[in-house]
Amino acid sequence: MSDKKHVHVMRQDIRWGDMDAFGHVNNTVYFRYMETARIAFLEETAGRTDTASEGPVIVTAYCTFARQLKYPGQIEVRTFVGTPGRSSIEVTHEIRLVDENGNADVVHAEGGAKVVWVNYAAEKSVPLPEALKALVPAA
């Protein structure tokens, strides 16, 4: 995504239970890290979702694993958005390990999701909230 804009940063602890039998963070947990950051970003930008009306759903999700994460530790998840469409926006993340000096310079994984705003009752897409559209002007 060439037109992405940095919109959010969040630190999270690596938990003992995040690891698998091979002694590193299980690949499925990276998706949970991204989900936690994505939901925090969406709530800060568009408000808390009212599950009786409308809000986000994920139509695709992906992750590229570059380096292992292990307990104990802390990560920083940097969130970016692309140019919004009528009802969707691409949200990407960089997962970085926080070092002993508090820096998060090395990317351990990159991933993201396409978020579509929907009317939950009708199960149909609806226009994105203006607060999300305003983050990145349409091309």
Side-chain angles (χ1 to χ4, degrees):
M1 177 181 5
S2 60
D3 294 332
K4 69 181 183 177
K5 178 181 177 186
H6 183 244
V7 292
H8 189 263
V9 64
M10 174 183 215
R11 291 200 171 180
Q12 302 174 42
D13 290 328
I14 298 171
R15 301 165 302 190
W16 172 259
D18 293 346
M19 293 192 308
D20 60 19
F22 299 107
H24 58 252
V25 171
N26 185 277
N27 61 346
T28 62
V29 177
Y30 289 72
F31 288 93
R32 183 68 70 194
Y33 295 153
M34 290 185 287
E35 174 190 56
T36 299
R38 183 175 55 253
I39 294 300
F41 154 67
L42 289 171
E43 286 182 347
E44 289 172 19
T45 305
R48 187 170 278 264
T49 299
D50 175 7
T51 56
S53 61
E54 61 183 49
V57 296
I58 303 304
V59 296
T60 61
Y62 57 91
C63 187
T64 302
F65 307 95
R67 297 173 182 254
Q68 295 181 50
L69 291 172
K70 297 179 181 181
Y71 174 88
Q74 187 178 59
I75 58 165
E76 181 175 283
V77 181
R78 297 181 187 180
T79 301
F80 304 82
V81 294
T83 303
R86 182 192 77 83
S87 61
S88 67
I89 191 165
E90 186 77 19
V91 180
T92 60
H93 307 278
E94 294 176 352
I95 299 174
R96 297 165 174 256
L97 183 64
V98 177
D99 68 20
E100 63 276 355
N101 297 315
N103 300 315
D105 298 326
V106 179
V107 175
H108 280 59
E110 295 178 288
K114 184 172 186 178
V115 176
V116 176
W117 218 258
V118 299
N119 176 300
Y120 293 127
E123 296 184 2
K124 295 198 182 276
S125 67
V126 295
L128 285 170
E130 289 301 319
L132 283 175
K133 286 186 196 177
L135 289 174
V136 180

